[in-house]
Amino acid sequence: MLRSNSFGALGSHADRRGYFIFCWFVGGLYLADVLHLGIAHRSLDYKEWFIKAVTIVNNVFGLYVDPIAWVNRHRLHHKHADHPGDPNKLSGDGFWRTMYLCVMPYRCNDNLAGDDILKSRTFRVAAHPAFAVVAQAFSFYLFWKLVGDLKFVLVMWFGIRMFALWVNMIQNYWTHTRSFGYRRYDDDDNAMNIGDWLPVTATFSACFQNNHRHYPGILRLSHEKSEYDFGFMTVRVMKALGLVKASRTGAQLPRDVPLGALDF
């Protein structure tokens, strides 16, 4: 076991990078690829064992997110985007209000999460409040025992959650405020595209909100080849590994999307 004097109060650079990259990458696979494309929009068909494994690994060792509540909120967000009924953000909500809503979202009045996989034992256990508490306490304890430095663990454990809040703000605020990014489609919402490499990588391409809101079923969020799409890269790797394939709706490419081909 590594001792605290081997890297000081803030740990070694390798420890910081390793923990950060693990939480970010597994969390991205879980939220952006599995819950978002795989379940919420049914754009991808996954191996069931894989989708359950990612859910458990992320929620036990990384950042806990209730899978059933997330799918329901996301579908309501698409149904009411920026209007009453959207649990993430209303059109007039500013920066601080949206940040508060990232932690305490508007109440969901409808239940749109009735998928069979969400009724499975794995997902029902993962969505239980007791599991959420035990899983996060275990992740903190395990990280502490592996590293051996409480100050380092506190900084990194809470720091990665602040990073997750920033990622959530990209999706809920910056890409839903018309002062930022660009729009390809003139829909009745505030969804914007932000194509800079850092937010695209951090969010697994979820910052292409204008593209995604216009055609939510497509498995690719970039709509032209010049748009860097990190999330689509991860999906293609999973396809090469035999873990995922395009669903019927996910593979459909509308004529006004300037890609030419899905390249999947």
Side-chain angles (χ1 to χ4, degrees):
M1 179 184 297
L2 294 174
R3 299 296 178 186
S4 60
N5 60 7
S6 67
F7 48 79
L10 292 181
S12 70
H13 292 299
D15 292 319
R16 291 198 295 269
R17 288 195 299 267
Y19 180 72
F20 176 85
I21 291 172
F22 171 82
C23 289
W24 159 72
F25 189 77
V26 175
L29 285 179
Y30 173 59
L31 289 168
D33 292 346
V34 170
L35 291 187
H36 186 221
L37 295 178
I39 299 179
H41 294 293
R42 302 187 181 101
S43 303
L44 294 168
D45 291 330
Y46 283 86
K47 299 288 187 181
E48 187 169 321
W49 67 265
F50 178 73
I51 205 170
K52 291 179 178 179
V54 172
T55 298
I56 295 301
V57 169
N58 176 80
N59 285 336
V60 172
F61 300 104
L63 291 161
Y64 176 83
V65 175
D66 181 337
I68 299 175
W70 191 95
V71 170
N72 188 48
R73 285 199 307 270
H74 188 73
R75 286 175 174 166
L76 288 170
H77 163 64
H78 274 268
K79 183 178 180 180
H80 303 288
D82 301 316
H83 296 86
D86 185 346
N88 295 340
K89 178 183 180 294
L90 301 183
S91 183
D93 291 335
F95 179 87
W96 295 110
R97 177 64 177 169
T98 307
M99 182 178 289
Y100 171 78
L101 292 170
C102 287
V103 182
M104 300 292 292
Y106 289 117
R107 181 178 179 179
C108 296
N109 296 320
D110 299 313
N111 183 9
L112 304 181
D115 309 58
D116 288 342
I117 193 167
L118 297 179
K119 297 176 183 178
S120 67
R121 179 177 299 177
T122 299
F123 276 84
R124 286 188 287 108
V125 169
H128 197 281
F131 177 87
V133 174
V134 171
Q136 288 301 275
F138 175 76
S139 74
F140 182 89
Y141 177 77
L142 179 61
F143 189 34
W144 179 22
K145 297 305 289 183
L146 289 173
V147 173
D149 189 299
L150 183 59
K151 291 181 179 179
F152 168 65
V153 171
L154 284 169
V155 170
M156 292 302 300
W157 200 82
F158 286 103
I160 195 66
R161 282 151 181 79
M162 293 303 296
F163 172 77
L165 178 61
W166 173 71
V167 170
N168 207 350
M169 284 293 287
I170 293 174
Q171 298 170 236
N172 289 359
Y173 178 73
W174 282 294
T175 59
H176 280 275
T177 303
R178 295 203 183 192
S179 301
F180 306 96
Y182 63 95
R183 286 169 66 85
R184 173 172 287 111
Y185 308 105
D186 188 21
D187 297 326
D188 184 24
D189 56 38
N190 294 328
M192 306 294 290
N193 293 326
I194 295 178
D196 301 281
W197 74 269
L198 181 57
V200 171
T201 304
T203 66
F204 276 53
S205 305
C207 52
F208 289 119
Q209 281 293 303
N210 180 244
N211 290 350
H212 178 56
R213 281 284 305 131
H214 193 69
Y215 289 122
I218 305 176
L219 62 84
R220 178 171 178 164
L221 275 65
S222 59
H223 283 190
E224 64 178 46
K225 295 185 183 298
S226 63
E227 291 174 330
Y228 161 63
D229 191 340
F230 180 78
F232 186 60
M233 294 178 186
T234 64
V235 171
R236 292 183 69 178
V237 170
M238 287 189 290
K239 179 191 176 185
L241 294 174
L243 299 172
V244 59
K245 63 181 180 180
S247 68
R248 182 182 60 82
T249 57
Q252 291 179 349
L253 187 64
R255 293 182 179 180
D256 60 338
V257 175
L259 276 172
L262 195 61
D263 293 334
F264 185 66

